[in-house]
Amino acid sequence: MLGTVDRTSLQELARAELPGLYALARYLTRTRAEAEELVQDTMVRACRSFASLNDVKAGPKWLRVIMTNVWRDRLRRNGRRPEEVLVDPSPEPEHFSLYQTLVDEDPLPWSDTMHVDFLGAFSAEDIQLVLQRVPERYRVPLLLRYMDGFGTGEISELLSLPAGTVYSLLHRGREHFERALWEYANESGLLEQGAGAERPPRKEARSR
Amino acid sequence: MIRCRDVVERLWAYLDGELDETDHRAIEEHLRLCVRCCGETEFADELRGVLATRSRPEMPTDVKDVLEEFIDGLDPTNPNT
């Protein structure tokens, strides 16, 4: 428990969580400058309500909740309704399994551990570019779940969406992510060199 | 026994421990008998690991400097910070 409002405590928490907050902000916004601004607005709001934080262990998630709220408010100010941004009106896309696609296509015929080697060919930068290809409505719940560790119920509260909708967004998000991994691997020539081998620059795939 | 398609659809929720007991047991029972779905499960677990460990963009040094300076100026005792 934090007995008193403590400037040092907030600053320590903010500093420790800065890389994670920036990462989330980078996915919630389009540019570096917007991400920087979102982090700053989050800090200001956190500062105003710091006295309400009773358990310092809850600080990391508390900051992310604040960031998500600030992001939703910004969407509204820009004339977008968060619920519309996050609810998918399109019909169910065709089922896609990366595991099965790799079995069928056998892109690494020399490998005895193809599925592991396929994922091993992606650097962190590759994965981040792949995630940028996943539509926002799927990317946000997916990252809240797997990058920041929120449970489905928590995401439902955070985004003001029914739990069933969050399940559906996560399910579709995983399929979009798997499809995007496969497409990126093919377009960038990631698999041509073989896992672990030196690869040429892939300028086309890296451009946004 | 539930179909492979149903297992694959619920695999990530199963790994996340977010299924109810009945569904969780049904999938465990299926996985004991289905080699293909076991492979899907291992792969789904790898993918979850990839998202957890390789999804965070690094913060550029200049942005870090600006934000740390901003944090230094925060003051919870001043509502106008």
Side-chain angles (χ1 to χ4, degrees), chain A residues 116-164:
Chain A
V116 173
D117 288 344
F118 175 84
L119 294 179
F122 288 82
S123 66
E125 189 190 358
D126 290 321
I127 294 299
Q128 290 150 28
L129 289 171
V130 167
L131 281 164
Q132 293 290 356
R133 294 177 171 208
V134 175
E136 185 179 38
R137 59 171 55 96
Y138 305 114
R139 189 173 62 229
V140 173
L142 203 60
L143 289 165
L144 288 172
R145 181 71 191 87
Y146 297 105
M147 185 176 78
D148 285 331
F150 284 98
T152 305
E154 291 175 312
I155 298 171
S156 166
E157 278 182 36
L158 262 175
L159 303 178
S160 302
L161 293 172

Side-chain angles (χ1 to χ4, degrees), chain A residues 5 7 11 15 27 32 36 47-48 97 99-100 119 122 124 127-128 145-147 152 167 171 174, chain B residues 9 12 16 18 36 39-40 47 50 52 54-57 62 66 68 70-72 74-76 79 81:
Chain A
V5 176
R7 176 182 174 147
Q11 287 172 334
R15 277 178 182 277
Y27 284 115
R32 249 175 59 161
E36 194 179 311
C47 200
R48 285 180 188 151
S97 161
Y99 177 84
Q100 190 58 45
L119 294 179
F122 288 82
I127 294 299
Q128 290 150 28
R145 181 71 191 87
Y146 297 105
M147 185 176 78
T152 305
Y167 275 115
H171 177 64
R174 292 160 194 150
Chain B
E9 275 186 10
W12 288 53
D16 292 344
E18 292 208 328
R36 189 198 165 280
E40 281 265 15
L47 279 169
V50 165
R54 288 184 238 167
S55 59
R56 285 191 176 186
D62 57 328
V66 168
E68 285 190 341
F70 187 81
I71 289 169
D72 287 341
L74 289 175
D75 183 359
T81 299

Side-chain angles (χ1 to χ4, degrees), chain A residues 1 40 57 59 75 109 143 151 161 166 174 190 193 206-207:
Chain A
M1 290 279 286
Q40 289 183 347
K57 284 185 189 161
L75 283 179
L143 289 165
L161 293 172
V166 174
R174 292 160 194 150
L190 198 63
Q193 307 301 312
R206 289 178 189 279
S207 61

Side-chain angles (χ1 to χ4, degrees), chain A residues 29-74:
Chain A
T29 57
R30 291 190 178 89
T31 66
R32 249 175 59 161
E34 283 177 0
E36 194 179 311
E37 200 183 328
L38 179 57
V39 173
Q40 289 183 347
D41 289 353
T42 300
M43 295 299 179
V44 169
R45 199 174 290 189
C47 200
R48 285 180 188 151
S49 55
F50 189 57
S52 70
L53 178 64
N54 292 321
D55 180 2
V56 76
K57 284 185 189 161
K61 278 194 174 180
W62 177 75
L63 284 172
R64 284 158 179 78
V65 169
I66 291 174
M67 175 171 281
T68 310
N69 287 333
V70 172
W71 170 68
R72 284 157 52 88
D73 291 347
R74 288 161 67 116

